[in-house]
Amino acid sequence: MRFSKYLIPLALTIAVVISLTLSVVLWTNPANYRTNKQTAQSPQTQQMIKPRQYVYTPVQAIHTNADGSQQIMVNKLVNTVTEVKKTMRNYQKPKIKTLSKNSKVDYFRIANQTDSIMLNYSDTVSMRAVNYIVKNRFRKLPNYKINRIILPTNNSTKLYLLYDKNFTVYEVDVKKHSLKSLNKVLKMDMRTQPASFKLLNNIPTVYVTTAVQMQPYKYLIDRQSDDYYVSRLLNTQDSTNVSVKRRKNMTIYGDQSSLQLTFNSNNRMAEFSDFRPNKNRRNLTSAINDSYKNVTKLGLPMDNVRFFSYDAKNRTIMYRTYVEGFPIFRANGFGTVSTRTLNSSAQRTRFSLDNPEVPLPSNKGYVSLPSTETMLKRLERGGYDIKEISKVRLGYTWKKDSTSPLLIDLNPEWYVYFNKQWRSYTSLMNQY
Amino acid sequence: MNFRRIEIIFLVTFIAMDIFLFGMFKKNMDMQADNVGQGGSDSVIIKEMRNDQIKVGSLSKKNETAYYISGEQGDVLRNQMGQLINQTPQFVGHELESELKQPISVNKDNPQKSINTLLEDSTFVLFGNQYVYSKNLSTSRNIVYNQKALGSSIYSSEAQIRFTLNSNHQIVSYTQSYLQNIKSLRESSRTISETRALIWLYQYNEIPNNTTVAWASLGYTKLLSIDGDRVFIPTWIIAIRPQNSTQIQLKRINAFTGGIIKETDENLKNNPSSMN
């Protein structure tokens, strides 16, 4: 029979082809070679790694009333920014257009519009960072630089993105959505602080218009040992290669080729230098991405740690721990962790071994700080050139507690960016 | 042997090989699926637990929000115990111990139903409406109520009412402790889910084989004391019972960090080294 004559060779050919295909698939699949072991991340570190939308988030929310008066929404029982962010996950069909550029009038008309909430980033971020908040809905929008987001509480089809440097206003049109949840946030339990949004030395700045009441805090700190970071960061194939040098209060660990970890036992700071080749990227989005990877690699507790600033000149990104929505400043103005790319074969991460963990009840009453205007006037009277100040922030000063090495005090304080460093108002005033 | 027979032998061999390869291919796919996403790996670990003869009920994957809270141990109970009637209250340590002059009968099967109404009466128990029944901690002769705090309740002997029942389902006495000025120390944050808490407890090797997870509950437990102040953190309290035993063991997982909490009772300022 003609048919059965070809049946066996045909079946044989098919069987051979199938076995060849399967063999190729199996051989080229890397999963085959991986032993089925659990990824070596301890539960602790999994929890410590915070997602990008947690770290690169606006840090302040300001509400503009129907009568145009403005107030900072200060965290009390809820984190106000987080609550506002929760209402932003459902934007449909976003379309962006540039409303104006280089016009301060237009910029402030949009920023200070009545019935709106303004979310402020601590420093310029790119659209990618905004995209994290809105659950990836803005992924198709161009990667503009952004400082602020304006959410009208009475217009359900529009929101605005602002870029401070050249006073650009972008309008994002979205499909009509419910504003109920956004308006509900305004009724939540929070403290408010009267404010106004205007220019300081040609830079858009949030002014606090009355004296501010702020709560001092006591915190229990998470005290990490040197060993923890040595084993995490210098964990090369064989640990016998790690060398140790001690000099006064410095301890230097190295893997003899490309990694170095320095601890300062005096101020409990550490510095990790990585001399392996890096991507050396310069644009904002890549810089932020590379920095995020370096920070998460550390295994530092990231609770309430937020992106604070990016210095494009020396490519330094600073992160700070926030309390009640205000950043913590340590001695010499340092935050919690900073990353810096020096060139294509040097990256440096500085971080603190002590970090705030649990807030403790403090019996100290609220502290009153002067309004922004008053504070600046006093500095001027103290002989400082106000034109040199580019940023002002309310913050907390980190101070060791006298009763226990595991406790710190956080005292409210004004901070100004003066002569390329963050200085507290009292330290400036005490200088004379 | 003719050519046709060789062909058949080859065919059979290759089909057998195909079946073998396909089996391997499928196994590979499963292995990859295991590695993808946390949800996948979670269920794998739960499966692993069941293989270790650990009995687990259905678990919630929901992340909730909670606070760091503080409360003070004070003298409010002592100051106000004069208003209690038909009982002889005594203030011992920081607890109010009271014996009823006349035992009060309660519902046989659900004693908490009767007690809930009794708690409304401030001449029977002080601040009774600030406590909530804890099924998990109660036994047939010992009914436990925990003090409420910011949408959850405190699991601590320092914020509890324990009613002692006699064999006739009557309350004969109770012990009460109370924390005043309960407040949040920081805005709310997300906690880990029940599933995660259990998995981490398992990965810390704190769940022995041949045990049953009796219940898990999110509540506040004491982290430390500073003088009169108590600091509480949200905690997943997980009750483990060895099979063929009735003894329950409580384990605590910090619901913010996922770390395991060992029992400590020192005052922070007296003994700082214990708080590492």
Side-chain angles (χ1 to χ4, degrees):
Chain A
M1 265 170 78
R2 215 189 156 88
F3 182 67
S4 69
K5 191 178 156 198
Y6 292 108
L7 185 69
I8 292 169
L10 193 73
L12 184 59
T13 320
I14 291 169
V16 168
V17 169
I18 290 175
S19 78
L20 274 177
T21 329
L22 282 173
S23 303
V24 168
V25 169
L26 282 170
W27 284 339
T28 53
N29 191 342
N32 211 16
Y33 299 106
R34 193 164 40 197
T35 46
N36 192 9
K37 65 173 180 199
Q38 292 296 328
T39 34
Q41 261 187 350
S42 78
Q44 287 284 13
T45 38
Q46 281 178 17
Q47 181 64 14
M48 274 191 264
I49 294 173
K50 299 287 183 187
R52 283 187 166 86
Q53 71 262 30
Y54 183 93
V55 180
Y56 303 97
T57 172
V59 293
Q60 187 182 52
I62 291 176
H63 178 220
T64 309
N65 283 329
D67 62 5
S69 66
Q70 293 179 308
Q71 49 209 353
I72 304 174
M73 298 155 70
V74 182
N75 299 340
K76 195 176 153 200
L77 273 186
V78 291
N79 185 319
T80 50
V81 175
T82 309
E83 295 302 318
V84 174
K85 272 159 60 184
K86 275 188 202 160
T87 70
M88 298 171 66
R89 293 172 181 168
N90 236 331
Y91 296 135
Q92 313 274 345
K93 297 188 183 154
K95 279 186 210 79
I96 196 165
K97 63 178 180 212
T98 309
L99 218 57
S100 75
K101 216 171 209 175
N102 295 316
S103 158
K104 287 173 199 165
V105 177
D106 286 332
Y107 177 93
F108 281 103
R109 185 174 51 82
I110 295 295
N112 292 334
Q113 63 180 293
T114 55
D115 288 313
S116 68
I117 294 176
M118 172 160 67
L119 293 180
N120 293 330
Y121 282 94
S122 179
D123 203 348
T124 311
V125 296
S126 63
M127 182 70 86
R128 293 282 172 270
V130 181
N131 187 35
Y132 300 138
I133 301 178
V134 296
K135 285 257 157 170
N136 232 359
R137 304 261 180 199
F138 287 0
R139 61 184 175 276
K140 285 180 188 154
L141 303 189
N143 199 13
Y144 296 137
K145 288 181 178 172
I146 285 152
N147 289 82
R148 297 160 212 284
I149 307 169
I150 311 289
L151 305 172
T153 54
N154 57 3
N155 185 339
S156 63
T157 57
K158 282 181 174 46
L159 57 135
Y160 304 91
L161 304 173
L162 306 182
Y163 178 42
D164 285 1
K165 204 164 178 195
N166 52 13
F167 299 96
T168 313
V169 179
Y170 303 107
E171 181 185 301
V172 182
D173 292 299
V174 292
K175 225 175 115 188
K176 202 171 155 60
H177 61 277
S178 166
L179 293 169
K180 224 187 247 169
S181 51
L182 188 61
N183 279 296
K184 224 159 104 191
V185 174
L186 293 173
K187 295 193 185 77
M188 284 180 175
D189 192 358
M190 63 177 91
R191 287 199 303 125
T192 54
Q193 168 61 43
S196 80
F197 183 60
K198 53 188 180 187
L199 287 175
L200 165 68
N201 295 331
N202 220 18
I203 296 165
T205 304
V206 177
Y207 274 65
V208 174
T209 50
T210 60
V212 198
Q213 303 296 314
M214 279 173 78
Q215 163 91 62
Y217 275 93
K218 211 182 255 300
Y219 260 80
L220 179 70
I221 52 171
D222 171 70
R223 225 172 140 82
Q224 211 49 267
S225 66
D226 298 3
D227 300 343
Y228 170 79
Y229 290 107
V230 172
S231 66
R232 276 191 72 89
L233 298 171
L234 301 182
N235 190 9
T236 43
Q237 257 61 36
D238 55 326
S239 53
T240 46
N241 263 343
V242 175
S243 64
V244 191
K245 269 181 260 167
R246 270 173 238 277
R247 215 181 303 142
K248 278 186 195 160
N249 50 24
M250 306 290 273
T251 316
I252 303 160
Y253 295 84
D255 79 336
Q256 291 169 355
S257 56
S258 53
L259 302 174
Q260 197 183 59
L261 189 54
T262 312
F263 296 101
N264 183 334
S265 59
N266 262 9
N267 58 10
R268 304 271 305 150
M269 294 293 295
E271 189 175 272
F272 177 56
S273 307
D274 185 343
F275 302 109
R276 291 175 298 197
N278 65 59
K279 289 178 189 153
N280 199 25
R281 299 190 286 190
R282 281 173 190 279
N283 74 68
L284 180 64
T285 309
S286 318
I288 284 179
N289 271 336
D290 293 345
S291 167
Y292 177 78
K293 276 178 205 145
N294 285 337
V295 168
T296 47
K297 203 167 62 186
L298 285 180
L300 192 80
M302 295 286 281
D303 203 23
N304 279 310
V305 173
R306 304 278 148 81
F307 166 70
F308 181 77
S309 61
Y310 173 55
D311 187 337
K313 237 173 252 158
N314 53 25
R315 285 191 283 165
T316 304
I317 294 188
M318 176 70 82
Y319 303 83
R320 284 182 197 276
T321 309
Y322 279 73
V323 172
E324 262 192 21
F326 302 106
I328 295 177
F329 294 82
R330 289 174 213 238
N332 65 39
F334 192 76
T336 302
V337 52
S338 75
T339 64
R340 181 174 179 195
T341 306
L342 291 106
N343 51 49
S344 62
S345 63
Q347 279 181 308
R348 205 160 275 165
T349 311
R350 290 186 68 208
F351 56 96
S352 163
L353 296 169
D354 296 340
N355 285 293
E357 192 183 15
V358 185
L360 301 176
S362 161
N363 34 25
K364 283 187 213 158
Y366 279 74
V367 170
S368 185
L369 297 178
S371 69
T372 311
E373 208 82 63
T374 315
M375 187 263 305
L376 290 173
K377 257 186 210 138
R378 285 186 195 162
L379 281 180
E380 196 161 30
R381 240 179 286 145
Y384 289 97
D385 187 1
I386 298 302
K387 296 220 161 42
E388 292 292 311
I389 294 174
S390 56
K391 294 177 205 165
V392 293
R393 292 273 190 285
L394 282 165
Y396 280 100
T397 304
W398 171 288
K399 195 168 155 280
K400 278 184 193 160
D401 190 273
S402 48
T403 54
S404 164
L406 287 173
L407 298 180
I408 52 147
D409 291 310
L410 297 177
N411 298 318
E413 178 97 77
W414 270 111
Y415 275 85
V416 296
Y417 196 65
F418 186 80
N419 272 345
K420 293 194 176 132
Q421 57 174 325
W422 284 100
R423 301 286 303 271
S424 78
Y425 164 74
T426 37
S427 77
L428 285 173
M429 291 305 273
N430 289 343
Q431 209 163 315
Y432 286 90
Chain B
M1 221 192 281
N2 62 17
F3 184 64
R4 196 182 153 84
R5 193 170 281 175
I6 294 171
E7 266 183 339
I8 289 172
I9 292 169
F10 263 72
L11 184 64
V12 170
T13 321
F14 269 98
I15 285 173
M17 210 160 114
D18 282 351
I19 292 167
F20 168 73
L21 283 174
F22 189 73
M24 252 180 92
F25 176 72
K26 245 195 111 192
K27 203 172 129 202
N28 242 352
M29 293 307 279
D30 289 350
M31 215 157 87
Q32 267 177 325
D34 287 354
N35 287 333
V36 173
Q38 207 153 61
S41 66
D42 279 4
S43 52
V44 169
I45 298 170
I46 298 283
K47 217 189 281 172
E48 233 173 79
M49 284 170 67
R50 298 214 161 106
N51 288 344
D52 281 349
Q53 306 298 322
I54 296 168
K55 282 193 184 152
V56 193
S58 65
L59 298 168
S60 147
K61 283 193 177 165
K62 203 174 155 240
N63 296 81
E64 303 187 30
T65 58
Y67 308 86
Y68 283 114
I69 61 169
S70 74
E72 294 165 28
Q73 225 168 28
D75 289 335
V76 196
L77 290 182
R78 197 212 315 252
N79 297 340
Q80 294 194 21
M81 69 186 191
Q83 71 185 63
L84 300 170
I85 51 174
N86 285 329
Q87 49 188 292
T88 47
Q90 274 184 310
F91 198 72
V92 185
H94 285 277
E95 285 188 333
L96 183 110
E97 291 174 10
S98 187
E99 236 165 88
L100 304 188
K101 289 177 180 162
Q102 205 78 64
I104 299 175
S105 299
V106 293
N107 188 315
K108 201 170 125 194
D109 302 315
N110 295 307
Q112 75 278 12
K113 277 189 184 161
S114 318
I115 298 175
N116 282 346
T117 30
L118 284 170
L119 285 179
E120 302 288 320
D121 181 2
S122 62
T123 61
F124 172 63
V125 166
L126 296 167
F127 314 110
N129 54 4
Q130 295 184 30
Y131 292 82
V132 62
Y133 172 65
S134 167
K135 182 173 176 257
N136 294 330
L137 299 181
S138 302
T139 60
S140 60
R141 300 288 286 274
N142 202 355
I143 310 296
V144 179
Y145 275 69
N146 289 330
Q147 194 175 343
K148 290 186 264 190
L150 296 156
S152 185
S153 59
I154 302 176
Y155 281 73
S156 162
S157 58
E158 292 176 346
Q160 222 166 43
I161 309 179
R162 294 181 295 278
F163 295 97
T164 311
L165 270 57
N166 63 17
S167 51
N168 299 329
H169 307 288
Q170 292 174 311
I171 305 174
V172 287
S173 66
Y174 72 86
T175 315
Q176 179 181 15
S177 53
Y178 178 72
L179 291 174
Q180 59 200 65
N181 279 336
I182 290 185
K183 58 175 188 238
S184 82
L185 293 169
R186 207 177 71 183
E187 70 265 14
S188 64
S189 320
R190 266 159 69 102
T191 64
I192 58 171
S193 70
E194 188 182 8
T195 314
R196 284 270 97 198
L198 198 70
I199 284 175
W200 284 349
L201 192 65
Y202 175 69
Q203 292 182 332
Y204 289 128
N205 273 332
E206 289 284 333
I207 310 182
N209 292 356
N210 292 313
T211 49
T212 307
V213 176
W215 50 268
S217 161
L218 184 64
Y220 290 102
T221 66
K222 190 167 88 177
L223 178 73
L224 52 94
S225 329
I226 293 196
D227 305 330
D229 287 316
R230 303 283 178 270
V231 176
F232 292 87
I233 53 167
T235 313
W236 278 104
I237 303 143
I238 297 169
I240 294 166
R241 188 178 56 223
Q243 272 157 32
N244 62 46
S245 161
T246 51
Q247 195 64 39
I248 273 186
Q249 229 186 330
L250 294 186
K251 302 276 183 186
R252 303 195 293 155
I253 291 280
N254 183 328
F256 280 150
T257 63
I260 189 155
I261 307 170
K262 303 269 192 229
E263 220 53 56
T264 51
D265 210 29
E266 291 94 349
N267 191 316
L268 179 70
K269 284 188 180 166
N270 296 339
N271 193 355
S273 61
S274 68
M275 288 309 305
N276 278 327

